[in-house]
Amino acid sequence: MAIAIIGFAIASIAQNEKQEFQPNGKPLILVFSNFHTNFTDGESSSAFEVQRAYLGYEHSFSEEFSGKVVLDVADPGNGSKLEMTAYLKNALLQYKKGNFTALFGLISTTQFKTSEKVWGNRYIEKSFQDAHKFNSSADLGFSLEYKFTDFISADFSVVNGEGYKKLQSDDLFRTALGATVKPIDNVVARIYVDQIGDEVKQNSLATFVAYQTKTFTFGAEYNYQKNFGMVDSENLYGTSFYVNYVPGGNIKLIGRFDNLKSNTLSGDSNSWNINKDGQLILVGLELAPAKGVKVAPNFRGWNPADDNQKFTSSLFLNVQVKF
């Protein structure tokens, strides 16, 4: 009996020592690249691109506290002569206990985080709101999230509103509130609102619903932004629909349709954003030949709202490498 008691005590001590938390961390490396050819009005152009590389490290200090630092190395675009530019994408501290999560620092924003995750093909194309600059994917500030039940959670955040490429240029802040609902298995819905501005306030509304299983995903979203860029009466809105289907193995079929619109101001004959308004059609195939590697040949068509612009079709071969 004494031997059994001693053995039980030793086993209990060993188990407690085994369960004791040990600080740990891991590097993060994610690379997006592509080769593409564009066709417009009988003309064609081709290019290889390394769109961006995320380089970072995340570390768990305790069971409740963790941190993450990520660099975003990307083509700055906008006609810049710089080949690649590095930005600090994330530099944050997270506290998570039970159903409560708090983030502080250079954090991921919440406006399109859920829909982007469901879309699941960020290396191929940005989600609708990200592509059309409704908000930045990261910003300096804080966010709070609480999961009330398996059915519903809510989040609140306050950020600079400038994005992670321009951290602070004024004393205005973007205040946001969101709620995520999972009414039945495989269905998720989300609504999000925010506001930023002084004399002219920009207001956002983002709504999203999706049905998702292991083999099939359908997502739909409607987005509206009043006084886009804090410019009075210039509103931007649109819808996005996407489908992912896994017929078997390491193959996924992808489809998406976006429609970006803007309002027509008093006295004008065309919408204020007509040069950028239009519809995107994307169909493609994703292959996963090895763990951490994704390859996606796809076709895209851009139908501009401006009748003076020509339809553009593109053939892409997108590649994601994750270490």
Side-chain angles (χ1 to χ4, degrees):
M1 177 65 72
I3 294 176
I5 293 174
I6 293 172
F8 177 77
I10 292 173
S12 298
I13 293 171
Q15 184 177 9
N16 289 336
E17 289 179 350
K18 184 178 179 180
Q19 292 178 348
E20 183 179 352
F21 179 85
Q22 296 294 328
N24 62 90
K26 63 179 180 179
L28 304 170
I29 303 176
L30 185 63
V31 181
F32 300 161
S33 62
N34 75 71
F35 173 76
H36 65 270
T37 301
N38 298 326
F39 304 91
T40 306
D41 195 25
E43 302 288 335
S44 65
S45 61
S46 301
F48 285 97
E49 289 183 318
V50 176
Q51 298 155 273
R52 61 193 341 113
Y54 296 111
L55 310 172
Y57 187 82
E58 59 182 6
H59 185 83
S60 296
F61 304 99
S62 69
E63 292 182 349
E64 291 82 23
F65 286 96
S66 62
K68 181 168 67 173
V69 176
V70 178
L71 283 177
D72 180 3
V73 184
D75 179 355
N78 299 320
S80 173
K81 295 182 180 180
L82 299 174
E83 293 185 1
M84 299 293 281
T85 302
Y87 295 95
L88 188 61
K89 178 68 178 285
N90 292 123
L92 61 89
L93 178 67
Q94 174 179 286
Y95 173 80
K96 182 176 177 60
K97 189 173 181 63
N99 293 333
F100 176 73
T101 303
L103 297 172
F104 177 80
L106 189 50
I107 63 175
S108 296
T109 55
T110 59
Q111 184 164 344
F112 51 82
K113 187 176 180 180
T114 302
S115 58
E116 182 177 80
K117 184 178 180 180
V118 173
W119 159 236
N121 304 300
R122 171 63 184 83
Y123 76 102
I124 299 174
E125 181 58 77
K126 296 178 179 180
S127 60
F128 180 91
Q129 296 180 67
D130 193 10
H132 301 297
K133 305 186 185 305
F134 279 64
N135 196 356
S136 175
S137 59
D139 209 339
L140 189 61
F142 73 87
S143 69
L144 308 173
E145 180 182 2
Y146 190 80
K147 185 177 180 180
F148 297 96
T149 66
D150 292 338
F151 174 77
I152 187 169
S153 63
D155 52 89
F156 172 76
S157 62
V158 178
V159 296
N160 277 339
E162 309 293 341
Y164 66 97
K165 297 181 180 180
K166 187 170 61 175
L167 293 179
Q168 184 63 64
S169 64
D170 54 41
D171 59 355
L172 301 177
F173 298 96
R174 184 193 294 255
T175 304
L177 182 65
T180 304
V181 179
K182 299 179 180 179
I184 58 176
D185 289 344
N186 305 321
V187 174
V188 58
R190 179 168 170 81
I191 184 169
Y192 165 100
V193 293
D194 72 26
Q195 179 175 280
I196 184 174
D198 191 6
E199 294 182 2
V200 178
K201 291 180 170 56
Q202 174 186 282
N203 295 278
S204 303
L205 168 67
T207 59
F208 167 74
V209 64
Y211 175 80
Q212 190 172 34
T213 67
K214 291 183 178 180
T215 59
F216 178 77
T217 297
F218 172 77
E221 56 183 278
Y222 172 78
N223 306 289
Y224 178 82
Q225 198 159 80
K226 181 180 180 182
N227 301 330
F228 180 81
M230 290 177 283
V231 178
D232 189 29
S233 300
E234 292 189 355
N235 308 326
L236 204 60
Y237 56 98
T239 53
S240 181
F241 303 92
Y242 35 91
V243 175
N244 295 324
Y245 175 62
V246 180
N250 297 321
I251 298 175
K252 181 171 71 174
L253 305 178
I254 301 165
R256 176 167 154 183
F257 175 77
D258 291 356
N259 190 10
L260 177 68
K261 298 181 178 181
S262 59
N263 63 307
T264 302
L265 302 177
S266 177
D268 292 345
S269 57
N270 293 316
S271 56
W272 67 268
N273 195 51
I274 191 170
N275 289 331
K276 296 181 179 180
D277 290 346
Q279 297 85 40
L280 169 72
I281 303 168
L282 188 156
V283 291
L285 172 71
E286 178 185 88
L287 307 173
K291 184 178 180 180
V293 178
K294 295 180 179 180
V295 180
N298 60 91
F299 166 84
R300 307 177 198 191
W302 175 254
N303 183 33
D306 185 356
D307 293 335
N308 295 318
Q309 298 182 37
K310 302 297 183 179
F311 182 89
T312 299
S313 57
S314 305
L315 294 175
F316 271 76
L317 179 65
N318 291 86
V319 178
Q320 174 183 288
V321 180
K322 184 177 182 180
F323 296 88

